[in-house]
mmCIF file of all heavy atoms in Angstrom:
data_model
loop_
_atom_site.group_PDB
_atom_site.id
_atom_site.type_symbol
_atom_site.label_atom_id
_atom_site.label_comp_id
_atom_site.label_asym_id
_atom_site.label_seq_id
_atom_site.Cartn_x
_atom_site.Cartn_y
_atom_site.Cartn_z
ATOM 1 N N THR A 1440 -4.627 30.602 20.667
ATOM 2 C CA THR A 1440 -5.714 29.672 20.608
ATOM 3 C C THR A 1440 -6.288 29.401 22.121
ATOM 4 O O THR A 1440 -7.373 28.909 22.194
ATOM 5 C CB THR A 1440 -5.189 28.161 20.245
ATOM 6 O OG1 THR A 1440 -4.217 27.873 21.275
ATOM 7 C CG2 THR A 1440 -4.430 28.176 18.984
ATOM 8 N N GLY A 1441 -5.605 29.910 23.141
ATOM 9 C CA GLY A 1441 -5.973 29.673 24.421
ATOM 10 C C GLY A 1441 -5.501 28.315 25.046
ATOM 11 O O GLY A 1441 -5.645 28.071 26.233
ATOM 12 N N ILE A 1442 -4.889 27.509 24.244
ATOM 13 C CA ILE A 1442 -4.410 26.210 24.597
ATOM 14 C C ILE A 1442 -3.264 26.244 25.547
ATOM 15 O O ILE A 1442 -2.358 26.931 25.234
ATOM 16 C CB ILE A 1442 -4.089 25.366 23.397
ATOM 17 C CG1 ILE A 1442 -5.391 25.117 22.536
ATOM 18 C CG2 ILE A 1442 -3.462 24.058 23.702
ATOM 19 C CD1 ILE A 1442 -5.090 24.462 21.073
ATOM 20 N N THR A 1490 -3.073 22.528 16.876
ATOM 21 C CA THR A 1490 -4.236 22.125 17.516
ATOM 22 C C THR A 1490 -4.401 20.583 17.338
ATOM 23 O O THR A 1490 -3.826 20.013 16.430
ATOM 24 C CB THR A 1490 -5.511 22.788 16.811
ATOM 25 O OG1 THR A 1490 -5.413 22.700 15.456
ATOM 26 C CG2 THR A 1490 -5.627 24.323 17.150
ATOM 27 N N THR A 1491 -5.050 20.006 18.227
ATOM 28 C CA THR A 1491 -5.382 18.490 18.200
ATOM 29 C C THR A 1491 -6.745 18.434 17.855
ATOM 30 O O THR A 1491 -7.653 18.939 18.502
ATOM 31 C CB THR A 1491 -5.028 17.868 19.623
ATOM 32 O OG1 THR A 1491 -3.768 18.220 20.069
ATOM 33 C CG2 THR A 1491 -5.335 16.444 19.702
ATOM 34 N N ASN A 1492 -6.999 17.584 16.733
ATOM 35 C CA ASN A 1492 -8.277 17.607 16.068
ATOM 36 C C ASN A 1492 -8.884 16.313 16.157
ATOM 37 O O ASN A 1492 -9.760 15.990 15.191
ATOM 38 C CB ASN A 1492 -8.131 18.185 14.645
ATOM 39 C CG ASN A 1492 -7.206 19.337 14.478
ATOM 40 O OD1 ASN A 1492 -6.124 19.222 13.986
ATOM 41 N ND2 ASN A 1492 -7.714 20.529 14.991
ATOM 42 N N ASP A 1493 -8.524 15.349 17.084
ATOM 43 C CA ASP A 1493 -9.204 14.131 17.113
ATOM 44 C C ASP A 1493 -10.767 14.223 17.231
ATOM 45 O O ASP A 1493 -11.136 14.903 18.017
ATOM 46 C CB ASP A 1493 -8.634 13.327 18.295
ATOM 47 C CG ASP A 1493 -7.184 13.006 18.271
ATOM 48 O OD1 ASP A 1493 -6.644 13.125 17.168
ATOM 49 O OD2 ASP A 1493 -6.610 12.904 19.295
ATOM 50 N N THR A 1494 -11.455 13.364 16.487
ATOM 51 C CA THR A 1494 -12.787 13.292 16.676
ATOM 52 C C THR A 1494 -13.352 11.989 16.031
ATOM 53 O O THR A 1494 -12.554 11.242 15.529
ATOM 54 C CB THR A 1494 -13.524 14.577 15.936
ATOM 55 O OG1 THR A 1494 -14.897 14.547 16.296
ATOM 56 C CG2 THR A 1494 -13.283 14.664 14.476
ATOM 57 N N ALA A 1495 -14.629 11.743 16.054
ATOM 58 C CA ALA A 1495 -15.239 10.609 15.542
ATOM 59 C C ALA A 1495 -16.733 10.815 15.328
ATOM 60 O O ALA A 1495 -17.278 11.743 16.005
ATOM 61 C CB ALA A 1495 -15.087 9.410 16.431
ATOM 62 N N ARG A 1498 -19.255 10.175 18.586
ATOM 63 C CA ARG A 1498 -18.378 10.066 19.832
ATOM 64 C C ARG A 1498 -19.006 10.048 21.121
ATOM 65 O O ARG A 1498 -20.005 10.925 21.198
ATOM 66 C CB ARG A 1498 -17.283 11.231 19.694
ATOM 67 C CG ARG A 1498 -16.244 11.105 20.755
ATOM 68 C CD ARG A 1498 -15.258 12.309 20.558
ATOM 69 N NE ARG A 1498 -14.111 12.106 21.236
ATOM 70 C CZ ARG A 1498 -13.038 12.925 21.174
ATOM 71 N NH1 ARG A 1498 -13.100 13.958 20.300
ATOM 72 N NH2 ARG A 1498 -11.994 12.705 21.880
ATOM 73 N N ALA A 1528 -19.359 23.659 18.261
ATOM 74 C CA ALA A 1528 -18.419 24.881 18.486
ATOM 75 C C ALA A 1528 -16.893 24.554 18.525
ATOM 76 O O ALA A 1528 -16.147 25.469 18.580
ATOM 77 C CB ALA A 1528 -18.921 25.545 19.791
ATOM 78 N N ALA A 1529 -16.550 23.402 18.354
ATOM 79 C CA ALA A 1529 -15.199 23.035 18.063
ATOM 80 C C ALA A 1529 -15.264 21.813 17.242
ATOM 81 O O ALA A 1529 -15.001 20.624 17.794
ATOM 82 C CB ALA A 1529 -14.332 22.807 19.385
ATOM 83 N N ALA A 1530 -15.557 22.025 15.994
ATOM 84 C CA ALA A 1530 -16.115 20.811 15.132
ATOM 85 C C ALA A 1530 -14.949 19.996 14.644
ATOM 86 O O ALA A 1530 -15.409 18.974 14.193
ATOM 87 C CB ALA A 1530 -17.005 21.495 14.044
ATOM 88 N N ALA A 1531 -13.842 20.403 14.720
ATOM 89 C CA ALA A 1531 -12.736 19.692 13.987
ATOM 90 C C ALA A 1531 -13.111 19.333 12.469
ATOM 91 O O ALA A 1531 -13.711 20.163 11.930
ATOM 92 C CB ALA A 1531 -12.424 18.446 14.856
ATOM 93 N N GLU A 1535 -18.805 15.446 14.193
ATOM 94 C CA GLU A 1535 -19.871 15.761 15.110
ATOM 95 C C GLU A 1535 -20.994 16.542 14.457
ATOM 96 O O GLU A 1535 -22.072 16.031 14.694
ATOM 97 C CB GLU A 1535 -19.161 16.715 16.286
ATOM 98 C CG GLU A 1535 -20.064 17.061 17.301
ATOM 99 C CD GLU A 1535 -19.331 17.789 18.473
ATOM 100 O OE1 GLU A 1535 -19.218 19.031 18.289
ATOM 101 O OE2 GLU A 1535 -18.844 17.209 19.406
ATOM 102 N N ASP A 1561 -14.543 26.068 13.962
ATOM 103 C CA ASP A 1561 -13.380 25.625 14.581
ATOM 104 C C ASP A 1561 -12.292 26.734 14.270
ATOM 105 O O ASP A 1561 -12.492 27.527 13.372
ATOM 106 C CB ASP A 1561 -12.874 24.224 13.924
ATOM 107 C CG ASP A 1561 -11.859 23.626 14.841
ATOM 108 O OD1 ASP A 1561 -10.665 23.921 14.896
ATOM 109 O OD2 ASP A 1561 -12.264 22.602 15.529
ATOM 110 N N ILE A 1562 -11.277 26.665 15.068
ATOM 111 C CA ILE A 1562 -10.146 27.669 14.892
ATOM 112 C C ILE A 1562 -9.158 27.252 13.829
ATOM 113 O O ILE A 1562 -8.428 28.011 13.321
ATOM 114 C CB ILE A 1562 -9.247 27.815 16.300
ATOM 115 C CG1 ILE A 1562 -8.543 29.117 16.233
ATOM 116 C CG2 ILE A 1562 -8.526 26.663 16.504
ATOM 117 C CD1 ILE A 1562 -7.950 29.451 17.556
ATOM 118 N N SER A 1563 -9.266 25.864 13.378
ATOM 119 C CA SER A 1563 -8.270 25.364 12.379
ATOM 120 C C SER A 1563 -8.952 25.371 10.987
ATOM 121 O O SER A 1563 -10.002 24.746 10.888
ATOM 122 C CB SER A 1563 -7.866 23.949 12.870
ATOM 123 O OG SER A 1563 -7.277 23.252 11.634
ATOM 124 N N VAL A 1566 -8.848 21.670 9.263
ATOM 125 C CA VAL A 1566 -9.962 20.646 9.421
ATOM 126 C C VAL A 1566 -11.236 21.099 8.987
ATOM 127 O O VAL A 1566 -12.001 20.242 8.548
ATOM 128 C CB VAL A 1566 -10.000 20.310 11.098
ATOM 129 C CG1 VAL A 1566 -8.886 19.361 11.464
ATOM 130 C CG2 VAL A 1566 -10.126 21.444 11.951
ATOM 131 N N HIS A 1617 -13.825 30.073 13.713
ATOM 132 C CA HIS A 1617 -14.241 30.862 14.871
ATOM 133 C C HIS A 1617 -13.282 30.497 16.064
ATOM 134 O O HIS A 1617 -13.027 29.296 16.309
ATOM 135 C CB HIS A 1617 -15.662 30.476 15.118
ATOM 136 C CG HIS A 1617 -16.112 31.197 16.479
ATOM 137 N ND1 HIS A 1617 -16.321 30.500 17.637
ATOM 138 C CD2 HIS A 1617 -16.317 32.501 16.782
ATOM 139 C CE1 HIS A 1617 -16.729 31.338 18.631
ATOM 140 N NE2 HIS A 1617 -16.723 32.539 18.006
ATOM 141 N N ASN A 1618 -12.817 31.542 16.744
ATOM 142 C CA ASN A 1618 -12.111 31.224 17.867
ATOM 143 C C ASN A 1618 -12.958 31.502 19.167
ATOM 144 O O ASN A 1618 -13.602 32.633 19.341
ATOM 145 C CB ASN A 1618 -10.900 32.320 17.922
ATOM 146 C CG ASN A 1618 -10.003 32.134 19.193
ATOM 147 O OD1 ASN A 1618 -10.299 31.426 20.109
ATOM 148 N ND2 ASN A 1618 -8.746 32.623 19.031
ATOM 149 N N LEU A 1619 -13.079 30.412 19.906
ATOM 150 C CA LEU A 1619 -13.970 30.405 21.031
ATOM 151 C C LEU A 1619 -13.603 31.545 22.125
ATOM 152 O O LEU A 1619 -14.466 31.996 22.907
ATOM 153 C CB LEU A 1619 -13.975 29.132 21.828
ATOM 154 C CG LEU A 1619 -14.578 27.999 21.075
ATOM 155 C CD1 LEU A 1619 -14.127 26.626 21.680
ATOM 156 C CD2 LEU A 1619 -16.172 27.951 21.218
ATOM 157 N N LEU A 1620 -12.389 32.083 22.021
ATOM 158 C CA LEU A 1620 -11.951 33.123 23.079
ATOM 159 C C LEU A 1620 -12.088 34.370 22.575
ATOM 160 O O LEU A 1620 -11.812 35.356 23.403
ATOM 161 C CB LEU A 1620 -10.548 32.691 23.360
ATOM 162 C CG LEU A 1620 -10.371 31.572 24.461
ATOM 163 C CD1 LEU A 1620 -9.070 30.868 24.505
ATOM 164 C CD2 LEU A 1620 -10.702 32.141 25.893
ATOM 165 N N ARG A 1635 -17.392 20.090 22.913
ATOM 166 C CA ARG A 1635 -16.892 18.745 23.413
ATOM 167 C C ARG A 1635 -15.471 18.664 23.147
ATOM 168 O O ARG A 1635 -14.934 18.876 22.006
ATOM 169 C CB ARG A 1635 -17.672 17.582 22.873
ATOM 170 C CG ARG A 1635 -19.204 17.853 23.166
ATOM 171 C CD ARG A 1635 -19.968 16.460 23.045
ATOM 172 N NE ARG A 1635 -19.631 15.869 21.672
ATOM 173 C CZ ARG A 1635 -19.723 14.681 21.391
ATOM 174 N NH1 ARG A 1635 -20.126 13.699 22.379
ATOM 175 N NH2 ARG A 1635 -19.466 14.179 20.250
ATOM 176 N N ASN A 1636 -14.725 18.224 24.251
ATOM 177 C CA ASN A 1636 -13.240 17.962 24.017
ATOM 178 C C ASN A 1636 -12.385 19.122 23.522
ATOM 179 O O ASN A 1636 -11.629 18.887 22.816
ATOM 180 C CB ASN A 1636 -13.172 16.635 23.181
ATOM 181 C CG ASN A 1636 -13.970 15.515 23.649
ATOM 182 O OD1 ASN A 1636 -13.721 15.050 24.823
ATOM 183 N ND2 ASN A 1636 -15.024 15.122 22.949
ATOM 184 N N VAL A 1637 -12.824 20.218 23.968
ATOM 185 C CA VAL A 1637 -11.957 21.454 23.672
ATOM 186 C C VAL A 1637 -11.742 22.117 25.078
ATOM 187 O O VAL A 1637 -10.436 22.604 25.110
ATOM 188 C CB VAL A 1637 -12.555 22.394 22.571
ATOM 189 C CG1 VAL A 1637 -13.914 22.943 23.130
ATOM 190 C CG2 VAL A 1637 -11.598 23.514 22.221
ATOM 191 N N TYR A 1640 -8.313 21.613 26.883
ATOM 192 C CA TYR A 1640 -7.011 22.150 26.531
ATOM 193 C C TYR A 1640 -6.697 23.480 27.177
ATOM 194 O O TYR A 1640 -5.661 24.059 27.017
ATOM 195 C CB TYR A 1640 -7.000 22.281 24.907
ATOM 196 C CG TYR A 1640 -7.081 20.975 24.290
ATOM 197 C CD1 TYR A 1640 -8.172 20.499 23.643
ATOM 198 C CD2 TYR A 1640 -5.999 20.096 24.145
ATOM 199 C CE1 TYR A 1640 -8.329 19.377 22.990
ATOM 200 C CE2 TYR A 1640 -6.019 18.919 23.566
ATOM 201 C CZ TYR A 1640 -7.184 18.571 22.978
ATOM 202 O OH TYR A 1640 -7.218 17.348 22.315
ATOM 203 N N PHE A 1641 -7.803 24.005 27.694
ATOM 204 C CA PHE A 1641 -7.695 25.379 28.467
ATOM 205 C C PHE A 1641 -7.444 25.320 29.887
ATOM 206 O O PHE A 1641 -8.137 24.426 30.602
ATOM 207 C CB PHE A 1641 -8.943 26.183 28.109
ATOM 208 C CG PHE A 1641 -9.238 26.294 26.647
ATOM 209 C CD1 PHE A 1641 -10.649 26.535 26.248
ATOM 210 C CD2 PHE A 1641 -8.269 26.304 25.609
ATOM 211 C CE1 PHE A 1641 -10.970 26.676 24.842
ATOM 212 C CE2 PHE A 1641 -8.599 26.507 24.335
ATOM 213 C CZ PHE A 1641 -9.953 26.740 23.875
HETATM 214 C C1 SAM B 2217 -10.241 17.314 20.081
HETATM 215 S S1 SAM B 2217 -11.143 18.230 18.902
HETATM 216 C C2 SAM B 2217 -12.842 18.091 19.398
HETATM 217 C C3 SAM B 2217 -13.696 17.763 18.188
HETATM 218 C C4 SAM B 2217 -15.042 17.444 18.531
HETATM 219 N N1 SAM B 2217 -15.833 18.471 19.331
HETATM 220 C C5 SAM B 2217 -15.231 16.206 19.355
HETATM 221 O O1 SAM B 2217 -15.479 16.155 20.517
HETATM 222 O O2 SAM B 2217 -14.991 15.126 18.824
HETATM 223 C C6 SAM B 2217 -10.692 19.906 19.562
HETATM 224 C C7 SAM B 2217 -10.912 20.984 18.560
HETATM 225 O O3 SAM B 2217 -10.912 22.268 19.174
HETATM 226 C C8 SAM B 2217 -10.447 23.267 18.332
HETATM 227 N N2 SAM B 2217 -9.952 24.374 19.099
HETATM 228 C C9 SAM B 2217 -8.824 24.495 19.881
HETATM 229 N N3 SAM B 2217 -8.746 25.747 20.409
HETATM 230 C C10 SAM B 2217 -9.891 26.413 19.834
HETATM 231 C C11 SAM B 2217 -10.406 27.847 19.993
HETATM 232 N N4 SAM B 2217 -9.648 28.670 20.796
HETATM 233 N N5 SAM B 2217 -11.423 28.188 19.332
HETATM 234 C C12 SAM B 2217 -12.090 27.320 18.526
HETATM 235 N N6 SAM B 2217 -11.726 25.870 18.376
HETATM 236 C C13 SAM B 2217 -10.657 25.537 19.063
HETATM 237 C C14 SAM B 2217 -9.214 22.474 17.766
HETATM 238 O O4 SAM B 2217 -8.794 23.131 16.418
HETATM 239 C C15 SAM B 2217 -9.830 21.035 17.564
HETATM 240 O O5 SAM B 2217 -10.290 20.816 16.236
#
Side-chain angles (χ1 to χ4, degrees):
T1440 67
I1442 295 169
T1490 51
T1491 299
N1492 316 111
D1493 297 338
T1494 187
R1498 184 176 192 176
E1535 184 173 85
D1561 201 280
I1562 198 172
S1563 160
V1566 284
H1617 176 252
N1618 184 342
L1619 289 161
L1620 280 156
R1635 302 196 310 154
N1636 303 299
V1637 62
Y1640 296 103
F1641 303 152

